[in-house]
Amino acid sequence: MWVTEECKNSFMEMKWKKVHRYIVFKIDEGSKLVTVDKVGAAGEGYDDLAASLPEDDCRYAVFDFDFVTVDNCRKSKIFFIAWAPSTSKIRAKMLYATSKDGIRRALDGIHYEVQATDPTEMGFDVIKDRAK
Protein backbone atom coordinates (compact mmCIF):
# COMPACT_ATOMS: atom_id res chain seq x y z
CA MET A 1 0.00 0.00 0.00
CA TRP A 2 1.32 3.43 -0.96
CA VAL A 3 0.38 6.71 0.69
CA THR A 4 -0.01 9.49 -1.90
CA GLU A 5 1.76 12.84 -1.62
CA GLU A 6 -1.68 14.46 -1.35
CA CYS A 7 -2.23 12.55 1.92
CA LYS A 8 1.12 13.62 3.35
CA ASN A 9 0.70 17.25 2.23
CA SER A 10 -2.84 17.50 3.62
CA PHE A 11 -1.64 16.06 6.92
CA MET A 12 1.23 18.59 7.12
CA GLU A 13 -1.19 21.43 6.38
CA MET A 14 -3.39 20.22 9.23
CA LYS A 15 -0.49 19.69 11.61
CA TRP A 16 1.49 22.89 11.02
CA LYS A 17 -0.82 25.42 9.38
CA LYS A 18 -4.08 24.34 11.08
CA VAL A 19 -5.86 24.60 7.70
CA HIS A 20 -7.91 21.43 8.28
CA ARG A 21 -9.66 20.09 11.39
CA TYR A 22 -9.76 16.52 10.08
CA ILE A 23 -8.88 14.37 7.08
CA VAL A 24 -10.55 11.12 6.00
CA PHE A 25 -8.46 8.67 3.96
CA LYS A 26 -9.56 5.71 1.89
CA ILE A 27 -7.79 2.89 0.11
CA ASP A 28 -8.27 2.58 -3.64
CA GLU A 29 -8.14 -1.19 -4.09
CA GLY A 30 -7.42 -0.96 -7.81
CA SER A 31 -4.34 1.23 -7.58
CA LYS A 32 -3.33 0.13 -4.04
CA LEU A 33 -3.06 3.79 -3.02
CA VAL A 34 -4.20 5.52 0.16
CA THR A 35 -5.93 8.72 -0.99
CA VAL A 36 -7.72 11.68 0.61
CA ASP A 37 -11.47 11.04 0.75
CA LYS A 38 -12.62 14.19 2.57
CA VAL A 39 -11.07 17.20 4.27
CA GLY A 40 -12.78 19.12 7.05
CA ALA A 41 -12.27 22.89 7.21
CA ALA A 42 -10.74 24.46 10.31
CA GLY A 43 -14.17 25.55 11.52
CA GLU A 44 -15.68 22.07 11.42
CA GLY A 45 -15.90 19.87 14.48
CA TYR A 46 -15.75 16.29 15.62
CA ASP A 47 -19.42 15.66 14.80
CA ASP A 48 -18.69 16.62 11.18
CA LEU A 49 -15.90 14.03 11.08
CA ALA A 50 -18.13 11.33 12.55
CA ALA A 51 -20.89 12.15 10.04
CA SER A 52 -18.47 11.92 7.11
CA LEU A 53 -17.50 8.31 7.84
CA PRO A 54 -19.49 5.75 5.81
CA GLU A 55 -21.75 3.35 7.68
CA ASP A 56 -20.74 0.34 5.58
CA ASP A 57 -17.10 0.84 4.59
CA CYS A 58 -13.74 1.26 6.31
CA ARG A 59 -11.72 4.48 6.46
CA TYR A 60 -8.79 6.05 8.24
CA ALA A 61 -9.13 9.51 9.71
CA VAL A 62 -6.98 12.02 11.55
CA PHE A 63 -8.51 14.64 13.84
CA ASP A 64 -6.79 17.70 15.32
CA PHE A 65 -8.20 18.03 18.84
CA ASP A 66 -7.69 21.42 20.49
CA PHE A 67 -8.26 21.70 24.23
CA VAL A 68 -7.32 23.68 27.32
CA THR A 69 -5.50 21.93 30.16
CA VAL A 70 -6.26 22.35 33.87
CA ASP A 71 -3.31 24.78 33.94
CA ASN A 72 -5.17 26.90 31.34
CA CYS A 73 -2.73 26.04 28.54
CA ARG A 74 -3.97 25.60 24.98
CA LYS A 75 -2.89 22.26 23.51
CA SER A 76 -3.49 20.26 20.38
CA LYS A 77 -3.28 16.50 19.92
CA ILE A 78 -3.70 14.57 16.69
CA PHE A 79 -5.81 11.43 16.80
CA PHE A 80 -5.63 8.62 14.26
CA ILE A 81 -8.93 6.79 13.88
CA ALA A 82 -9.18 3.38 12.24
CA TRP A 83 -12.85 3.09 11.26
CA ALA A 84 -14.05 -0.44 10.47
CA PRO A 85 -17.82 -0.75 10.98
CA SER A 86 -19.22 -4.23 11.51
CA THR A 87 -21.35 -3.83 8.35
CA SER A 88 -18.31 -3.41 6.08
CA LYS A 89 -17.02 -6.25 3.93
CA ILE A 90 -14.51 -8.66 5.44
CA ARG A 91 -12.09 -7.97 2.57
CA ALA A 92 -12.14 -4.24 3.35
CA LYS A 93 -11.58 -4.89 7.07
CA MET A 94 -8.58 -7.09 6.29
CA LEU A 95 -7.12 -4.56 3.84
CA TYR A 96 -7.44 -1.65 6.25
CA ALA A 97 -6.12 -3.66 9.21
CA THR A 98 -2.99 -4.77 7.33
CA SER A 99 -2.30 -1.29 5.89
CA LYS A 100 -2.76 0.70 9.10
CA ASP A 101 0.86 0.67 10.25
CA GLY A 102 2.06 1.93 6.87
CA ILE A 103 -0.13 5.01 6.89
CA ARG A 104 0.67 5.68 10.56
CA ARG A 105 4.39 5.71 9.70
CA ALA A 106 3.81 8.04 6.73
CA LEU A 107 1.90 10.54 8.88
CA ASP A 108 4.47 11.63 11.43
CA GLY A 109 3.10 13.39 14.51
CA ILE A 110 0.11 11.30 15.57
CA HIS A 111 -0.36 11.29 19.34
CA TYR A 112 -3.19 8.80 19.93
CA GLU A 113 -4.93 6.00 18.08
CA VAL A 114 -8.57 4.96 18.31
CA GLN A 115 -10.03 1.86 16.66
CA ALA A 116 -13.78 1.92 16.18
CA THR A 117 -16.39 -0.45 14.79
CA ASP A 118 -19.36 1.74 15.75
CA PRO A 119 -19.79 5.45 16.60
CA THR A 120 -19.88 4.88 20.37
CA GLU A 121 -16.28 3.58 20.31
CA MET A 122 -15.06 6.88 18.89
CA GLY A 123 -17.39 9.30 20.64
CA PHE A 124 -16.17 12.77 21.56
CA ASP A 125 -16.01 11.74 25.23
CA VAL A 126 -13.53 8.99 24.27
CA ILE A 127 -11.33 11.56 22.51
CA LYS A 128 -11.49 13.97 25.47
CA ASP A 129 -10.59 11.23 27.96
CA ARG A 130 -7.59 10.06 25.90
CA ALA A 131 -6.21 13.59 25.55
CA LYS A 132 -6.04 14.25 29.29
Side-chain angles (χ1 to χ4, degrees):
M1 213 47 58
W2 298 98
V3 179
T4 63
E5 286 301 313
E6 178 190 18
C7 293
K8 295 174 188 174
N9 293 339
S10 295
F11 181 74
M12 287 303 169
E13 286 176 350
M14 183 183 86
K15 181 178 168 183
W16 297 114
K17 298 179 183 176
K18 303 291 184 185
V19 175
H20 315 300
R21 174 65 62 204
Y22 65 86
I23 307 167
V24 179
F25 303 101
K26 71 177 183 177
I27 296 176
D28 181 342
E29 287 190 49
S31 64
K32 302 287 187 212
L33 293 174
V34 178
T35 60
V36 173
D37 187 32
K38 184 174 185 339
V39 175
E44 293 189 48
Y46 191 74
D47 291 337
D48 298 310
L49 164 63
S52 70
L53 296 172
E55 294 179 20
D56 60 351
D57 202 4
C58 301
R59 292 290 187 272
Y60 300 122
V62 287
F63 178 72
D64 189 5
F65 178 59
D66 293 327
F67 62 100
V68 178
T69 65
V70 291
D71 302 335
N72 209 23
C73 295
R74 293 188 58 80
K75 293 215 174 196
S76 176
K77 297 288 181 187
I78 297 176
F79 281 79
F80 178 86
I81 300 166
W83 173 247
S86 54
T87 55
S88 60
K89 295 178 183 162
I90 292 175
R91 178 179 169 85
K93 290 180 191 178
M94 296 285 290
L95 183 62
Y96 276 78
T98 56
S99 304
K100 183 179 68 163
D101 289 339
I103 189 168
R104 284 268 334 247
R105 278 193 299 275
L107 305 177
D108 186 39
I110 292 171
H111 299 103
Y112 300 104
E113 180 178 329
V114 175
Q115 294 189 34
T117 58
D118 70 71
T120 60
E121 293 176 355
M122 57 171 269
F124 191 65
D125 54 331
V126 173
I127 299 296
K128 284 187 344 190
D129 287 346
R130 291 291 282 294
K132 289 182 180 179

